[in-house]
Amino acid sequence: MSHSSPAVRRVADWDFDQLSSLAAEHGTPLYVVDLDRVAENYERFASAFPDAHVMYAAKAHTGRAVLETLLDAGADIECAARGELQRAIQAGADPDTLQYTAVNPPDADLDYAAELGADHPGLTVTGGARDTFDRLEARGYDGRVAIRVNPGIGTGHHEKVATGKDAKFGIPYDEVAELAEDLRERFDLVGLHAHVGSGVLHDDLEDHCRAIAKVADLAREVDDADLEFVDFGGGFGVPYREDEEPLDMDVVGEKVREAVGDLAAQIKLEPGRYVVADSEVILTGVNTVKETPEATVVGVDASLATLIRPAMFDSYHPIANVSAPDRAVEPVAVGGPCCTSADVFCTDRPVARPEREDLLAIGNAGAYGYELANQFHSQPRPAEVAVEGGEPRVVRRRETMDDVTRVEREAEE
């Protein structure tokens, strides 16, 4: 594994011949994840923070093949829900190494965490509300806990991911010191945690580091020598647009260490998007090309059920014509088969002119791609193929209509 691997993988860097073969064999829409790239991204990030404990934020992509790859690479796993804890364990994670960040946790999630902690005292539960700690105590849990801090500073690519200033997330900054004293009487308080946003690139780095410095100051106030760790979350972005530059992780590492300053507790970091975003593409077939006075509309078989980020976050995802990359480029709108104007991947986007039966690739689909896939319009979710060492294998089969309707049929039995 080389620390010098390219800092970003563009959609044009994929092997178009292999992608065409995979689409022909497995159909479209199809997710294709490069597990070697997942490991390379993790290694590059970890190399930039040699003294930190680097965990992978599972919510970005909980596919078993991805989790197994990262566990093999030496990553621990941070989970934000009961299902993620279960999936990490099924992938081979030691429950004593897991960190569970509870956000308004349902009773069933806390029940599971309390039971898991009883058998695995290394589990750490991070709470962002006083109620969460009270509910844990009511379940007999007295193990390792961390406080999620709301630093009042949010960063990232969209207001919906700027968690550091969202009241939903974390204990208000000025209340943490008092809460820490209370929790030390009831649990094993081992850390502080903060996550201020997602998709942070160079323009957001100053604010990101300002939030990190603020949390580090708070750690010293509550006696960092008595804490095992201070977790500064993730949020480090990748360039989705072709003209955006990737983060220089060596520079980022220096800036983060400068922001943290002297700290007795260990630094923890939780990259998610950075590790998986550019490791995956979606392959989709063109079924319709319609000329209108306003635009050339290209219809594809992928939809917002396949990739919801453009509809949810107005996210940019690069698109390439795999079938004819050298064809003349012209501006097009690309949309799916859902009956809503939100089902559009791009408008007025220069793409090598698509024709019916062409294959397109939608890039940077690894982070929150399959995680947010759904069955809108009763569309079965796509298959996913993993490539490792150049060899492909199916890691998620394509859903069928039987899968879509199974829960209803079983309810009637």
Side-chain angles (χ1 to χ4, degrees), residues 116-252:
L116 188 63
D119 294 329
H120 299 280
L123 175 74
T124 303
V125 180
T126 301
R130 292 174 185 267
D131 278 1
T132 300
F133 296 110
D134 294 341
R135 293 165 67 203
L136 278 171
E137 187 176 39
R139 287 162 168 76
Y141 183 88
D142 61 0
R144 294 165 54 89
V145 299
I147 301 172
R148 180 162 184 170
V149 180
N150 186 316
I153 300 172
T155 58
H157 68 90
H158 193 280
E159 62 181 12
K160 291 182 180 178
V161 300
T163 54
K165 61 181 180 182
D166 187 338
K168 176 180 177 179
F169 299 97
I171 303 294
Y173 188 89
D174 294 338
E175 299 177 17
V176 171
E178 178 187 353
L179 178 61
E181 291 305 309
D182 174 47
L183 296 185
R184 283 181 169 128
E185 300 296 321
R186 302 157 60 192
F187 303 95
D188 180 14
L189 178 62
V190 295
L192 298 182
H193 173 281
H195 176 73
V196 298
S198 183
V200 172
L201 290 173
H202 294 284
D203 290 346
D204 299 306
L205 195 55
E206 184 176 338
D207 283 343
H208 196 72
C209 286
R210 187 161 55 89
I212 285 173
K214 191 172 180 181
V215 175
D217 287 342
L218 181 60
R220 287 182 279 268
E221 180 183 340
V222 302
D223 190 3
D224 59 305
D226 199 36
L227 297 174
E228 179 184 308
F229 67 82
V230 180
D231 186 340
F232 296 102
F236 301 98
V238 296
Y240 283 64
R241 294 179 180 272
E242 291 86 348
D243 59 353
E244 291 176 327
E245 290 298 318
L247 290 171
D248 183 329
M249 289 311 299
D250 291 331
V251 171
V252 172

Side-chain angles (χ1 to χ4, degrees), residues 69-90:
T69 296
L70 288 164
L71 288 168
D72 287 346
D76 286 330
I77 309 295
E78 184 268 342
C79 304
R82 171 184 57 165
E84 292 176 11
L85 288 168
Q86 292 174 309
R87 295 189 74 164
I89 293 168
Q90 290 167 3

Side-chain angles (χ1 to χ4, degrees), residues 350-382:
V351 177
R353 179 181 168 82
E355 297 179 358
R356 191 153 54 89
E357 299 186 359
D358 278 354
L359 179 69
L360 305 185
I362 303 173
N364 277 8
Y368 310 101
Y370 209 109
E371 286 303 301
L372 293 171
N374 58 82
Q375 297 172 335
F376 183 48
H377 273 332
S378 293
Q379 296 183 82
R381 282 174 290 199

Side-chain angles (χ1 to χ4, degrees), residues 376-399:
F376 183 48
H377 273 332
S378 293
Q379 296 183 82
R381 282 174 290 199
E384 183 177 34
V385 170
V387 179
E388 187 171 21
E391 296 299 318
R393 71 180 193 274
V394 176
V395 291
R396 279 192 255 223
R397 66 166 175 81
R398 187 176 304 280
E399 285 185 339

Side-chain angles (χ1 to χ4, degrees), residues 95-108:
D96 282 299
T97 66
L98 294 176
Q99 187 165 310
Y100 166 44
T101 306
V103 180
N104 299 336
D107 285 343

